[in-house]
Amino acid sequence: MLFMVGIESPADEMQAFGIVIPVFEKLGYGCFSAADSQEEILFKAKEAILLMAEEVINDGHLVDSLNESYRDYQALHPKFDQWLALEVPLEALKAKQKRLNITLSESQIVRIDSFVAFHREFKDRSDFLAKAADKLMNSADSVRSCSKVGD
């Protein structure tokens, strides 16, 4: 999975490089780290992503909800003067699958299967249903979070 990583250059030799991975913010998390040298930045960023992804999974979110292509976060994080895209495989962290027996109408199953056949981003019917459910729940969480801001 591709992650955009922001790097804040240190003001002097006594400071570390700051690291931010903003995609986690859409689930309500902050993901930050620091590296003492440029050589450590990729390692520290990957470590932070893996730790935060594990936390996201433990809290019941699907890591697929973090999947974004290139995105410019500079305006949201102006202190971070360098940005890079880091590929981090998260397959090993994905939650163990459980079989579920659900009831749908035959016409709805046909519509879902047709949709999945046309949209290759879904592996199968189960993948589609899981992503649709996660999207709806994340949307509801966003609405709830936004309503709290005004309180």
Side-chain angles (χ1 to χ4, degrees):
M1 195 173 290
L2 188 69
F3 292 88
M4 297 305 299
V5 176
I7 303 162
E8 179 184 19
S9 298
D12 59 49
E13 293 177 4
M14 299 303 292
Q15 291 183 347
F17 290 87
I19 300 170
V20 65
I21 300 94
V23 72
F24 290 97
E25 294 168 4
K26 72 181 185 178
L27 295 178
Y29 298 86
C31 187
F32 300 90
S33 188
D36 290 327
S37 68
Q38 281 187 313
E39 293 78 17
E40 284 187 318
I41 291 173
L42 292 178
F43 170 77
K44 293 291 191 174
K46 183 177 180 180
E47 178 183 51
I49 290 166
L50 290 170
L51 288 170
M52 188 56 64
E54 187 174 18
E55 187 71 23
V56 164
I57 290 168
N58 289 339
D59 287 347
H61 299 284
L62 295 176
V63 292
D64 290 340
S65 63
L66 300 173
N67 196 14
E68 291 185 339
S69 58
Y70 175 85
R71 182 168 171 199
D72 186 358
Y73 286 100
Q74 184 67 46
L76 295 172
H77 296 277
K79 289 184 178 182
F80 293 83
D81 52 334
Q82 300 174 55
W83 290 87
L84 57 94
L86 181 60
E87 184 73 29
V88 179
L90 299 180
E91 290 74 28
L93 296 179
K94 291 189 179 181
K96 184 179 174 185
Q97 301 293 314
K98 285 190 168 187
R99 188 173 259 309
L100 176 66
N101 185 15
I102 63 171
T103 304
L104 300 171
S105 69
E106 284 185 29
S107 62
Q108 194 171 28
I109 293 170
V110 169
R111 288 178 51 220
I112 290 169
D113 289 345
S114 295
F115 189 87
V116 168
F118 184 75
H119 294 87
R120 297 289 180 200
E121 66 265 25
F122 303 108
K123 295 178 219 155
D124 53 31
R125 182 189 307 150
S126 294
D127 186 49
F128 168 79
L129 292 172
K131 288 178 180 176
D134 196 48
K135 184 175 181 178
L136 183 60
M137 290 185 289
N138 286 337
S139 174
D141 288 344
S142 295
V143 170
R144 211 171 308 129
S145 296
C146 290
S147 64
K148 289 180 184 176
V149 172
D151 291 342

